[in-house]
Coordinates of all heavy atoms in Angstrom, one line a residue:
M1083 N -1.7 8.3 -0.6 CA -1.4 7.5 0.6 C 0.1 7.2 0.5 O 0.8 7.2 -0.5 CB -2.1 6.1 0.5 CG -3.6 6.2 0.7 SD -4.0 6.6 2.4 CE -5.8 6.7 2.2
K1084 N 0.6 6.9 1.7 CA 2.0 6.5 1.9 C 2.1 5.2 2.7 O 1.2 4.9 3.5 CB 2.8 7.6 2.7 CG 3.0 8.9 1.9 CD 3.7 9.9 2.8 CE 2.9 10.3 4.0 NZ 3.2 11.5 4.6
I1085 N 3.2 4.5 2.5 CA 3.4 3.3 3.3 C 4.5 3.5 4.3 O 5.6 3.9 3.9 CB 3.6 2.0 2.4 CG1 2.4 1.8 1.5 CG2 3.9 0.8 3.3 CD1 2.6 0.7 0.5
N1086 N 4.2 3.3 5.5 CA 5.3 3.4 6.6 C 6.1 2.1 6.5 O 5.7 1.1 7.1 CB 4.6 3.6 7.9 CG 5.6 3.7 9.0 OD1 6.8 3.5 8.8 ND2 5.1 3.8 10.3
M1087 N 7.2 2.1 5.9 CA 8.0 0.9 5.7 C 8.6 0.3 6.9 O 9.0 -0.8 7.0 CB 9.0 1.1 4.6 CG 8.5 1.1 3.2 SD 7.4 -0.4 2.7 CE 8.4 -1.8 3.1
S1088 N 8.7 1.1 8.0 CA 9.2 0.6 9.3 C 8.2 -0.4 9.9 O 8.6 -1.2 10.8 CB 9.7 1.7 10.2 OG 8.6 2.5 10.6
E1089 N 6.9 -0.3 9.5 CA 5.9 -1.2 10.1 C 5.5 -2.3 9.1 O 5.0 -3.3 9.5 CB 4.6 -0.4 10.4 CG 4.9 0.8 11.4 CD 5.1 0.2 12.8 OE1 4.6 -0.8 13.2 OE2 5.8 0.9 13.6
C1090 N 5.6 -2.0 7.8 CA 5.2 -2.9 6.8 C 5.9 -4.3 6.8 O 7.1 -4.3 6.9 CB 5.4 -2.3 5.4 SG 5.0 -3.3 4.0
G1091 N 5.1 -5.4 6.7 CA 5.7 -6.7 6.7 C 5.8 -7.3 5.3 O 6.1 -8.4 5.1
V1092 N 5.5 -6.4 4.3 CA 5.6 -6.9 2.9 C 4.8 -8.1 2.6 O 5.2 -9.0 1.9 CB 7.1 -7.0 2.4 CG1 7.2 -7.0 0.8 CG2 7.9 -5.9 2.9
C1093 N 3.6 -8.2 3.2 CA 2.7 -9.3 3.0 C 2.0 -9.3 1.7 O 1.4 -10.3 1.3 CB 1.7 -9.3 4.2 SG 0.5 -7.9 4.1
E1094 N 2.0 -8.1 1.1 CA 1.3 -7.9 -0.3 C -0.2 -8.0 -0.3 O -0.8 -8.1 -1.4 CB 1.9 -8.9 -1.3 CG 3.4 -8.7 -1.5 CD 4.0 -9.6 -2.6 OE1 3.5 -9.5 -3.7 OE2 4.9 -10.4 -2.3
I1095 N -0.8 -8.0 0.9 CA -2.3 -8.1 0.9 C -2.9 -6.8 0.3 O -3.9 -6.9 -0.4 CB -2.8 -8.2 2.4 CG1 -2.4 -9.6 2.9 CG2 -4.3 -7.9 2.5 CD1 -2.7 -9.8 4.4
C1096 N -2.2 -5.7 0.4 CA -2.7 -4.5 -0.2 C -2.8 -4.4 -1.7 O -3.5 -3.7 -2.3 CB -1.9 -3.3 0.4 SG -0.1 -3.5 0.1
V1097 N -1.9 -5.2 -2.3 CA -1.8 -5.1 -3.8 C -3.1 -5.3 -4.5 O -3.5 -4.5 -5.3 CB -0.8 -6.2 -4.3 CG1 -0.8 -6.2 -5.8 CG2 0.6 -5.9 -3.8
E1098 N -3.9 -6.3 -4.1 CA -5.2 -6.6 -4.8 C -6.3 -5.6 -4.4 O -7.3 -5.5 -5.1 CB -5.6 -8.0 -4.4 CG -4.8 -9.1 -5.1 CD -4.8 -9.1 -6.6 OE1 -5.9 -9.0 -7.1 OE2 -3.7 -9.2 -7.2
S1099 N -6.0 -4.9 -3.3 CA -7.1 -4.0 -2.8 C -7.2 -2.7 -3.6 O -8.2 -2.1 -3.5 CB -6.8 -3.7 -1.3 OG -5.8 -2.8 -1.2
C1100 N -6.2 -2.4 -4.3 CA -6.2 -1.1 -5.0 C -6.9 -1.2 -6.3 O -6.5 -1.9 -7.2 CB -4.7 -0.6 -5.2 SG -4.7 1.0 -6.1
P1101 N -8.0 -0.5 -6.4 CA -8.8 -0.6 -7.7 C -8.1 0.0 -8.9 O -8.4 -0.3 -10.0 CB -10.1 0.3 -7.4 CG -9.8 1.0 -6.2 CD -8.7 0.4 -5.4
L1102 N -7.0 0.8 -8.6 CA -6.3 1.4 -9.7 C -5.0 0.6 -10.0 O -4.2 1.0 -10.9 CB -5.9 2.9 -9.4 CG -7.2 3.8 -9.1 CD1 -6.7 5.2 -8.8 CD2 -8.1 3.8 -10.4
G1103 N -4.7 -0.4 -9.2 CA -3.6 -1.3 -9.4 C -2.2 -0.5 -9.2 O -1.3 -0.7 -9.9
L1104 N -2.2 0.4 -8.2 CA -1.1 1.2 -8.0 C -0.1 0.7 -7.0 O 1.0 1.4 -6.8 CB -1.5 2.6 -7.6 CG -2.4 3.4 -8.6 CD1 -2.9 4.7 -8.0 CD2 -1.7 3.6 -9.9
I1105 N -0.4 -0.4 -6.3 CA 0.5 -0.8 -5.3 C 1.3 -2.0 -5.8 O 0.8 -3.0 -6.3 CB -0.2 -1.2 -4.0 CG1 -1.2 -0.1 -3.5 CG2 0.8 -1.5 -2.9 CD1 -2.0 -0.4 -2.3
K1106 N 2.6 -1.8 -5.7 CA 3.5 -2.9 -6.3 C 4.6 -3.2 -5.2 O 5.0 -2.4 -4.4 CB 4.3 -2.3 -7.5 CG 3.4 -1.8 -8.6 CD 2.8 -2.9 -9.5 CE 1.9 -2.3 -10.6 NZ 1.0 -3.2 -11.1
K1107 N 5.1 -4.4 -5.4 CA 6.3 -4.8 -4.6 C 7.5 -4.5 -5.4 O 7.6 -4.8 -6.6 CB 6.2 -6.3 -4.3 CG 7.3 -6.7 -3.4 CD 7.2 -8.2 -3.0 CE 8.3 -8.6 -2.1 NZ 8.3 -10.1 -2.0
K1108 N 8.5 -3.8 -4.8 CA 9.7 -3.4 -5.5 C 10.8 -3.8 -4.6 O 11.1 -3.2 -3.5 CB 9.7 -1.9 -5.7 CG 10.6 -1.4 -6.8 CD 10.4 0.1 -7.1 CE 11.3 0.5 -8.2 NZ 11.4 1.9 -8.4
G1109 N 11.5 -4.9 -5.0 CA 12.6 -5.4 -4.1 C 11.9 -5.9 -2.8 O 11.0 -6.7 -2.9
F1110 N 12.4 -5.4 -1.7 CA 11.9 -5.8 -0.4 C 11.0 -4.8 0.2 O 10.8 -4.7 1.4 CB 13.0 -6.1 0.5 CG 13.8 -7.3 0.1 CD1 15.1 -7.2 -0.5 CD2 13.3 -8.6 0.3 CE1 15.8 -8.3 -0.9 CE2 14.0 -9.7 -0.2 CZ 15.3 -9.6 -0.8
K1111 N 10.4 -3.9 -0.7 CA 9.5 -2.9 -0.1 C 8.3 -2.7 -1.0 O 8.3 -3.2 -2.2 CB 10.2 -1.6 0.2 CG 10.9 -0.9 -1.0 CD 11.7 0.3 -0.6 CE 10.8 1.5 -0.6 NZ 11.5 2.8 -0.5
M1112 N 7.3 -2.1 -0.5 CA 6.0 -1.8 -1.2 C 6.1 -0.3 -1.7 O 6.5 0.5 -0.9 CB 4.8 -2.0 -0.3 CG 4.7 -3.4 0.3 SD 4.8 -4.8 -0.9 CE 3.3 -4.4 -1.9
V1113 N 5.6 -0.1 -2.9 CA 5.5 1.3 -3.3 C 4.1 1.6 -3.9 O 3.4 0.7 -4.4 CB 6.5 1.6 -4.4 CG1 8.0 1.5 -3.9 CG2 6.4 0.7 -5.6
I1114 N 3.7 2.8 -3.7 CA 2.4 3.3 -4.3 C 2.8 4.2 -5.5 O 3.5 5.2 -5.3 CB 1.5 4.0 -3.3 CG1 1.1 3.1 -2.2 CG2 0.3 4.6 -4.0 CD1 0.3 3.7 -1.0
L1115 N 2.3 3.8 -6.7 CA 2.7 4.6 -7.9 C 1.8 5.9 -8.0 O 0.9 6.1 -7.2 CB 2.4 3.7 -9.1 CG 3.1 2.4 -9.1 CD1 2.8 1.6 -10.4 CD2 4.7 2.5 -9.1
E1116 N 2.2 6.8 -8.9 CA 1.5 8.0 -9.1 C 0.0 7.8 -9.5 O -0.3 6.8 -10.2 CB 2.1 8.7 -10.4 CG 3.6 9.2 -10.2 CD 3.6 10.6 -9.5 OE1 2.9 11.5 -10.0 OE2 4.3 10.7 -8.5
G1117 N -0.8 8.6 -9.0 CA -2.2 8.5 -9.4 C -3.2 8.1 -8.4 O -4.4 8.0 -8.6
C1118 N -2.7 7.9 -7.1 CA -3.5 7.5 -6.0 C -4.5 8.6 -5.7 O -4.2 9.8 -5.6 CB -2.6 7.3 -4.8 SG -3.5 7.1 -3.2
D1119 N -5.8 8.2 -5.6 CA -6.9 9.2 -5.3 C -7.3 9.1 -3.8 O -8.4 9.6 -3.5 CB -8.0 9.0 -6.3 CG -8.7 7.6 -6.1 OD1 -8.3 6.8 -5.2 OD2 -9.6 7.3 -6.9
N1120 N -6.5 8.5 -3.0 CA -6.8 8.4 -1.5 C -8.2 7.7 -1.2 O -8.9 8.2 -0.3 CB -6.7 9.8 -0.9 CG -5.3 10.3 -0.8 OD1 -4.4 9.5 -0.6 ND2 -5.1 11.5 -1.0
C1121 N -8.6 6.7 -2.0 CA -9.9 6.1 -1.8 C -9.9 5.4 -0.5 O -11.0 5.1 0.1 CB -10.2 5.1 -3.0 SG -9.2 3.6 -2.9
G1122 N -8.8 4.9 0.0 CA -8.7 4.3 1.4 C -8.9 2.8 1.4 O -8.8 2.2 2.5
E1123 N -9.1 2.2 0.3 CA -9.2 0.7 0.2 C -8.0 0.0 0.8 O -8.1 -1.0 1.6 CB -9.5 0.2 -1.2 CG -10.9 0.6 -1.7 CD -12.0 0.2 -0.8 OE1 -12.0 -1.0 -0.4 OE2 -13.0 1.0 -0.6
C1124 N -6.8 0.4 0.4 CA -5.6 -0.2 0.9 C -5.4 0.0 2.4 O -5.0 -1.0 3.1 CB -4.4 0.3 0.2 SG -4.2 2.1 0.3
Q1125 N -5.8 1.1 2.9 CA -5.7 1.5 4.3 C -6.6 0.6 5.1 O -6.2 0.1 6.2 CB -6.1 2.9 4.5 CG -5.7 3.5 5.8 CD -6.0 5.0 5.8 OE1 -6.9 5.5 5.2 NE2 -5.1 5.8 6.5
K1126 N -7.8 0.3 4.6 CA -8.7 -0.6 5.3 C -8.2 -2.0 5.5 O -8.5 -2.6 6.5 CB -10.1 -0.6 4.6 CG -11.0 0.6 4.9 CD -12.4 0.4 4.3 CE -12.5 1.1 3.0 NZ -13.8 0.9 2.3
I1127 N -7.5 -2.5 4.5 CA -7.2 -3.9 4.4 C -5.8 -4.2 5.1 O -5.6 -5.4 5.5 CB -7.3 -4.4 3.0 CG1 -7.7 -5.9 3.0 CG2 -6.0 -4.2 2.2 CD1 -8.2 -6.3 1.6
C1128 N -5.0 -3.2 5.2 CA -3.6 -3.5 5.8 C -3.7 -4.0 7.2 O -4.1 -3.2 8.1 CB -2.8 -2.2 5.6 SG -1.1 -2.5 6.4
P1129 N -3.2 -5.2 7.5 CA -3.2 -5.7 8.9 C -2.3 -5.0 9.8 O -2.5 -5.1 11.0 CB -2.8 -7.2 8.7 CG -2.1 -7.2 7.4 CD -2.6 -6.2 6.5
M1130 N -1.3 -4.3 9.3 CA -0.4 -3.6 10.1 C -0.7 -2.1 10.4 O -0.1 -1.5 11.2 CB 1.0 -3.7 9.5 CG 1.6 -5.1 9.2 SD 1.7 -6.1 10.7 CE 3.2 -5.3 11.5
G1131 N -1.7 -1.7 9.7 CA -2.1 -0.3 9.9 C -1.0 0.7 9.4 O -0.9 1.8 10.0
C1132 N -0.2 0.3 8.5 CA 0.9 1.1 8.1 C 0.7 2.0 6.8 O 1.7 2.6 6.4 CB 2.2 0.3 8.0 SG 2.1 -1.0 6.8
I1133 N -0.5 2.0 6.3 CA -0.8 2.8 5.1 C -1.5 4.1 5.7 O -2.5 4.0 6.3 CB -1.6 2.1 4.1 CG1 -0.9 0.8 3.6 CG2 -1.8 3.0 2.9 CD1 -1.6 0.0 2.6
I1134 N -0.8 5.2 5.4 CA -1.3 6.5 6.0 C -1.4 7.6 5.0 O -0.7 7.5 3.9 CB -0.3 6.9 7.1 CG1 1.1 6.8 6.7 CG2 -0.5 6.0 8.4 CD1 2.2 7.3 7.6
K1135 N -2.2 8.6 5.3 CA -2.3 9.7 4.3 C -1.1 10.6 4.4 O -0.6 10.8 5.5 CB -3.6 10.5 4.7 CG -4.7 10.1 3.7 CD -5.9 11.0 3.8 CE -7.0 10.4 3.0 NZ -8.3 10.9 3.5
Ligands
LIG2431 S1 -0.9 -4.8 3.5 FE1 0.3 -3.4 4.8 S2 1.8 -4.7 5.8 FE2 1.0 -5.8 4.0 S3 2.4 -5.2 2.3 FE3 0.6 -3.8 2.2 S4 1.4 -2.0 3.4 FE4 2.7 -3.7 3.9
LIG2432 S1 -5.8 4.9 -1.5 FE1 -6.9 3.8 -3.1 S2 -6.0 4.4 -5.0 FE2 -4.6 5.0 -3.4 S3 -3.1 3.3 -3.3 FE3 -4.8 2.9 -1.8 S4 -6.3 1.6 -2.8 FE4 -5.0 2.5 -4.4

């Protein structure tokens, strides 16, 4: 998965949704670390719809 940072509001709601703990806040942006298996949990929960494959 990727985060479209032009839409992301850095609300951090997605952080807890990742069962692998791969979503982190880094400065003023969100990053997805190595190892994402595209389970889709973060995509379902993002209110901005900015997490994409
Ligand atoms: S839930 Fe969506 S809008 Fe909120 S920080 Fe995560 S990617 Fe950004
Ligand atoms: S798709 Fe699943 S594993 Fe990948 S970042 Fe989102 S919640 Fe985590």
Side-chain angles (χ1 to χ4, degrees):
M1083 293 288 178
K1084 291 179 294 204
I1085 299 176
N1086 175 2
M1087 284 308 304
S1088 62
E1089 302 288 330
C1090 173
V1092 197
C1093 66
E1094 299 183 59
I1095 288 171
C1096 53
V1097 172
E1098 292 296 315
S1099 75
C1100 180
L1102 302 177
L1104 298 177
I1105 309 179
K1106 305 279 181 203
K1107 186 176 178 189
K1108 202 173 180 189
F1110 294 104
K1111 58 185 275 196
M1112 303 305 297
V1113 294
I1114 297 178
L1115 305 177
E1116 293 275 308
C1118 170
D1119 63 4
N1120 291 324
C1121 72
E1123 291 303 316
C1124 56
Q1125 196 173 32
K1126 275 189 265 178
I1127 213 162
C1128 174
M1130 303 299 285
C1132 62
I1133 303 181
I1134 49 177
K1135 260 194 189 153

